[in-house]
Amino acid sequence: MLKLENLSVAVNDRQILHDVNLHIKPGEVHVLFGPNGTGKSTLIGAIMGFSRYKITAGKIYFKGQDITNLSVDERARRGIGVMIQRPPTLRGLSVREMVRICGKKHTNVEMLADKTNLIEFLDRGVNEGFSGGEIKRSELLQLMAQQPDLVMLDEPESGVDIENIAVVGQAANYILERGLRKNGQTIRKRRTDRQKSGLIITHTGHILEYVPADTAHVMYQGTLSCSGNPQEMLTCIHEKGYEECVNCAL
Ligand code: ADP
Ligand code: MG
Ligand code: MG
């Protein structure tokens, strides 16, 4: 689904990412851990193609094709979707209109809004006066409509209150078509002919209770340092901290 080859990225002429290699196969969900400022959001931004992230070396392949130089909207059309950390407020564009723009012709806006607890927000401007958690849910609502094949989530649970963590987790799972989960058990798997992939940045790992992930990576000082089982890696980070964790073989 996604392959990064020796990807290096600069922001404002400052080199942030160095030689990042990553391979996410169809149906796989990968998690990205790492301290603040290490380049996690930069990686997602570069994959999506936001112009502030300049690719200085390396290649991005999506579904086997080189997309390194494609525009954001072309990448979105090919099936990449992202939920960024701080999306802008769009005055004059309602959530309902935005969901219609993101979605296909027959998108059931009300049904998706219900799943994200956003029915009462449909006629408000996108993110206008929204709390942190409401912004996250509104982003997920747009992704539900877009139905991307590669879903990238930047800290989906941060700023979300306890009650809505489950809503966020279930929405993420819905987008990834990974089946409904409760207490760590898959209780219903959706039948699908498509194999969606995910890349999820998380500090807390709470999202892992809802979204089963296959592999985790630690990003440290702008490069991917180690990979392994998500739960084991989270335990390692909590016990030893990032610096020691990247030096130990899991
Ligand atoms: P993370 O998501 O891991 O917390 P980021 O990818 O957001 O890290 O940021 C990586 C580094 O890039 C940080 O040191 C940050 O300050 C820097 N950075 C991000 N945006 C800019 C910018 N517009 N100009 C200069 N440096 C930036
Ligand atoms: Mg951060
Ligand atoms: Mg970030």
Side-chain angles (χ1 to χ4, degrees):
M1 184 71 78
L2 178 77
K3 198 168 197 176
L4 307 180
E5 275 181 13
N6 302 316
L7 193 71
S8 297
V9 178
V11 181
N12 281 348
D13 292 329
R14 202 180 123 210
Q15 206 66 40
I16 306 290
L17 299 181
H18 319 269
D19 277 332
V20 174
N21 289 289
L22 180 67
H23 188 185
I24 304 180
K25 294 181 183 147
E28 283 184 355
V29 174
H30 290 220
V31 177
L32 198 54
F33 297 120
N36 277 326
T38 197
K40 303 180 299 299
S41 296
T42 300
L43 182 65
I44 278 187
I47 295 167
M48 194 66 234
F50 295 130
S51 58
R52 59 191 288 207
Y53 303 107
K54 296 272 176 289
I55 294 166
T56 52
K59 295 261 182 230
I60 305 173
Y61 296 95
F62 181 62
K63 297 178 181 169
Q65 288 179 320
D66 184 352
I67 62 157
T68 317
N69 298 310
L70 294 184
S71 65
V72 179
D73 54 312
E74 183 55 32
R75 292 181 204 207
R77 265 194 291 276
R78 288 181 185 213
I80 305 182
V82 68
M83 165 183 174
I84 55 176
Q85 266 181 307
R86 292 178 212 89
T89 298
L90 304 174
R91 281 175 219 288
L93 179 69
S94 72
V95 173
R96 187 188 301 280
E97 289 163 326
M98 186 62 165
V99 173
R100 289 227 176 90
I101 291 168
C102 291
K104 319 264 182 260
K105 224 176 181 175
H106 302 291
T107 299
N108 187 336
V109 178
E110 308 276 333
M111 185 269 286
L112 297 179
D114 188 43
K115 278 190 190 296
T116 44
N117 270 352
L118 288 172
I119 289 281
E120 276 136 56
F121 290 71
L122 281 175
D123 295 307
R124 282 173 62 177
V126 175
N127 299 334
E128 211 173 334
F130 287 20
S131 72
E134 288 160 359
I135 289 176
K136 301 279 174 190
R137 285 186 277 127
S138 146
E139 289 284 293
L140 287 167
L141 172 58
Q142 292 161 44
L143 280 175
M144 281 174 161
Q146 189 194 339
Q147 299 180 16
D149 296 320
L150 173 67
V151 182
M152 300 189 290
L153 307 176
D154 199 344
E155 299 190 27
E157 73 272 77
S158 70
V160 179
D161 56 76
I162 293 289
E163 279 156 55
N164 277 305
I165 290 267
V167 174
V168 165
Q170 280 156 10
N173 233 3
Y174 178 89
I175 295 161
L176 285 159
E177 298 183 343
R178 295 217 107 195
L180 264 182
R181 273 169 77 88
K182 212 174 179 181
N183 304 325
Q185 299 272 314
T186 301
I187 54 172
R188 181 157 57 84
K189 193 147 175 60
R190 296 178 75 208
R191 222 143 57 87
T192 174
D193 50 355
R194 276 199 282 177
Q195 291 263 301
K196 305 234 170 182
S197 304
L199 180 60
I200 304 176
I201 297 174
T202 175
H203 282 293
T204 62
H206 291 322
I207 192 84
L208 295 175
E209 286 161 37
Y210 300 92
V211 182
D214 301 285
T215 309
H217 311 273
V218 175
M219 177 165 275
Y220 198 72
Q221 296 177 347
T223 199
L224 291 182
S225 304
C226 64
S227 306
N229 173 283
Q231 284 302 341
E232 284 173 22
M233 202 159 265
L234 196 59
T235 307
C236 177
I237 292 164
H238 283 159
E239 285 173 2
K240 303 181 185 169
Y242 288 113
E243 195 170 345
E244 241 193 90
C245 183
V246 298
N247 293 319
C248 81
L250 274 166

